């Protein structure tokens, strides 16, 4: 699952991501340490990768947004590296699915 | 947990689930999605807090324990940091390695044998553990309460705002011998008064409600009409201990993360300091507000409300303050931070660097099972 963590008052960013990726789910988190945020959970699927790529490119350098995959902050790695990781994960999943089907 | 669920259901008409977990997120969190609300009661935080309380209890009994206290609490802070910065696995790993080098002999859990010495360390540990759970639950609960009842949030914030104005306008600070502390408190109150109601005043309101409700809960549980002075002292002490611990942890992780991210964007040491110092100052300012200003303000409110003769926090003893400050200073020691950051960047540039594998290594070292196991 790809997660966009955004500050609660960044409503424009939230609306933009939700309208671009309707498959997303929104979760609000109030943490004891005061780091309250909105998490937008995006399923990683090949069919929406072009849109995901656009959104990641748009926001990977935005201080109001942190992009995480499997707990790793991929937005800090830079756009190219972040997308490389996501595409590799998708490819691995595709290969695993093909193996299951053939077995 | 059953008690907390009952409180939630009685106070509000909403579905609140309380789930005990243990995670690298560390802090208890109130999570809302699709109209459902879950309080994730993260046992990792309580493990760290109990270790801290134990060390603090030893220090309260024996002022000569200072150096040992510093060493053991630093180990707790490193353990915390390596989990909290797990999203930057190379940094988390370097912190963990350095922790093992410096403090390999330190226990990571509150050993059962240590608890056998509770008779020696008095009731600070027991009451701290007991009351802090109520305080944290109510604090998180009122964040949700305010979300679902925005009018109540506005009313509570206004009430606290008026009281803070009264506090600033009155002579409540004249008993302070230290002019510097008096100025610091006044500056903090001004920040509180003029803060955005959605953040700082909400935190103060949740803390206030947490104190009041914990006191009320204690009266109900003991079936008494009034609260005794020693119980009030214990509740406020637990509040101070939790706030101090919490604000130190959040301050530390903010500083480390800011420095790491700024380091990657600048070309010189001078530029690094120039760009990160304002964030350090803001983090320190927030920490002072949460662990000094707000608790002091709420102490004075409750002294009047419950007719206490006076209240002096057990953390106000000079040697306790000095020991806690020493931990804070060492955790944000710039030389060590830069060393760890440079090591982590070197690690991330190795040909076979895999952030996911490194994350799993850090988790396994911290005693977690990973998805692969």
């Amino acid at each position: 699952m790809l997660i966009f963590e955004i500050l609660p008052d960044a409503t424009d960013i939230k609306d933009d991501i939700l309208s671009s990726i309707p498959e997303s789910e929104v979760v609000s988190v109030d943490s004891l340490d005061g780091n309250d945020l909105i998490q937008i959970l995006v399923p990683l699927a090949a069919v929406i990768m072009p849109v995901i790529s656009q959104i990641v490119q748009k926001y990977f350098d935005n201080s109001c947004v942190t992009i995480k995959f499997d707990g790793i902050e991929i937005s800090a790695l830079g756009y190219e590296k972040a997308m490389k990781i996501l595409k590799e994960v998708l490819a691995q999943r595709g290969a695993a699915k093909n193996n299951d089907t053939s077995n | 947990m059953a008690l907390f669920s009952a409180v939630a259901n009685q106070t509000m008409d909403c579905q609140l689930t309380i789930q005990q977990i243990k995670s690298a997120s560390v802090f208890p969190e109130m999570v809302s999605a699709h109209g459902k609300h879950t309080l994730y009661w993260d046992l990792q935080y309580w493990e760290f807090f109990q270790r801290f309380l134990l060390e603090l209890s030893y220090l309260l009994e024996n002022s000569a324990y200072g150096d040992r206290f510093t060493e053991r609490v630093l180990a707790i802070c490193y353990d915390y940091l390596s989990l909290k910065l797990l999203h930057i696995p190379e940094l988390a790993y370097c912190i963990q390695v350095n922790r093992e080098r410096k403090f390999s002999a330190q226990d990571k859990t509150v050993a059962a044998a240590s608890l056998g010495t509770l008779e020696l360390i008095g009731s600070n540990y027991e009451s701290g553990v007991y009351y802090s759970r109520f305080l944290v639950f109510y604090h998180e609960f009122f964040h949700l309460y305010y979300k679902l009842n925005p009018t109540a949030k506005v009313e509570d914030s206004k009430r606290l705002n008026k009281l803070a104005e009264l506090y600033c306008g009155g002579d409540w600070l004249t008993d302070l011998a230290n002019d510097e502390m008096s100025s610091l408190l006044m500056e903090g109150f001004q920040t509180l008064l003029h803060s955005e109601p959605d953040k700082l005043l909400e935190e103060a309101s949740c803390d206030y409600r947490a104190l009041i409700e914990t006191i009320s809960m204690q009266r109900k549980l003991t079936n008494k009409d009034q609260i005794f002075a020693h119980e009030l002292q214990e509740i406020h002490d637990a509040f101070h201990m939790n706030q101090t611990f919490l604000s130190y942890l959040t301050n530390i992780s903010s500083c480390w993360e800011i420095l790491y991210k700024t380091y990657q964007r600048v070309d010189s040491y001078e530029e690094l300091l120039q760009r990160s110092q304002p964030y350090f100052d803001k983090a320190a300012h927030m920490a002072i507000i949460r662990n000094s200003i707000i608790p002091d303000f709420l102490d004075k409110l409750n002294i009047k409300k419950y007719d206490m003769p006076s209240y002096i926090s057990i953390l106000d003893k000079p040697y306790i303050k000095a020991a806690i400050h020493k931990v804070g200073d060492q955790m944000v020691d710039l030389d060590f931070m830069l060393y760890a950051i440079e090591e982590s960047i070197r690690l991330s540039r190795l040909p076979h660097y895999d952030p996911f594998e490194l994350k799993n290594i850090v988790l396994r070292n911290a005693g977690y099972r990973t998805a692969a196991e």
Side-chain angles (χ1 to χ4, degrees), chain A residues 5-43:
Chain A
E5 289 183 347
I6 60 177
L7 298 177
D9 52 4
T11 47
D12 289 349
I13 297 175
K14 181 184 107 181
D15 292 341
D16 183 28
I17 297 173
L18 288 177
S19 62
S20 303
I21 313 175
E23 297 83 351
S24 313
E25 198 182 319
V26 181
V27 173
S28 87
V29 179
D30 285 325
S31 177
L32 183 66
D33 65 350
N35 283 332
D36 303 342
L37 37 87
I38 303 287
Q39 288 182 335
I40 301 176
L41 314 182
V42 176

Side-chain angles (χ1 to χ4, degrees), chain B residues 345-359:
Chain B
I345 290 172
R346 257 194 283 275
L347 182 62
S348 70
R349 290 176 182 163
L350 291 176
H352 300 295
Y353 166 71
D354 180 343
F356 301 99
E357 189 186 328
L358 203 52
K359 184 193 88 173

Side-chain angles (χ1 to χ4, degrees), chain A residues 28 30 32-34 70 73, chain B residues 30 87 147 199 261 359:
Chain A
S28 87
D30 285 325
L32 183 66
D33 65 350
D70 193 18
E73 187 177 329
Chain B
M30 185 70 79
H87 57 285
K147 190 177 286 188
K199 194 62 194 153
K261 288 182 176 174
K359 184 193 88 173

Side-chain angles (χ1 to χ4, degrees), chain B residues 174-231:
Chain B
T174 54
D175 57 349
L176 280 175
N178 187 331
D179 284 341
E180 196 183 322
M181 180 53 77
S182 175
S183 301
L184 190 66
L185 283 174
M186 188 57 77
E187 195 188 310
F189 271 109
Q190 293 298 334
T191 306
L192 193 64
L193 277 176
H194 299 109
S195 70
E196 292 285 324
D198 283 344
K199 194 62 194 153
L200 207 50
L201 265 183
E202 181 175 334
E203 292 298 325
S205 302
C206 288
D207 285 337
Y208 179 60
R209 286 277 200 152
L211 273 168
I212 300 299
E213 297 298 329
T214 299
I215 291 166
S216 173
M217 174 60 68
Q218 179 60 12
R219 278 169 27 197
K220 284 179 195 166
L221 288 174
T222 51
N223 207 20
K224 289 186 300 215
D225 290 334
Q226 61 179 24
I227 190 99
F228 292 121
H230 78 272
E231 287 173 314

Side-chain angles (χ1 to χ4, degrees), chain A residues 25-36 61 66 68-74 76-77 81 85, chain B residues 27-34 45 84 87 89 136 139-140 147 199 246 250 257 261 265 290 355-356 359:
Chain A
E25 198 182 319
V26 181
V27 173
S28 87
V29 179
D30 285 325
S31 177
L32 183 66
D33 65 350
N35 283 332
D36 303 342
D61 208 22
T66 303
K68 290 181 179 174
F69 179 75
D70 193 18
I72 303 296
E73 187 177 329
I74 60 171
L77 303 175
K81 211 163 179 180
I85 288 173
Chain B
F27 295 102
E29 291 176 342
M30 185 70 79
V31 175
S32 302
H34 304 301
Y45 176 74
K84 196 63 187 164
H87 57 285
V136 166
H139 179 97
E140 287 304 299
K147 190 177 286 188
K199 194 62 194 153
L246 183 58
T250 53
E257 189 159 353
K261 288 182 176 174
R265 293 165 191 250
R290 289 215 66 189
F356 301 99
K359 184 193 88 173

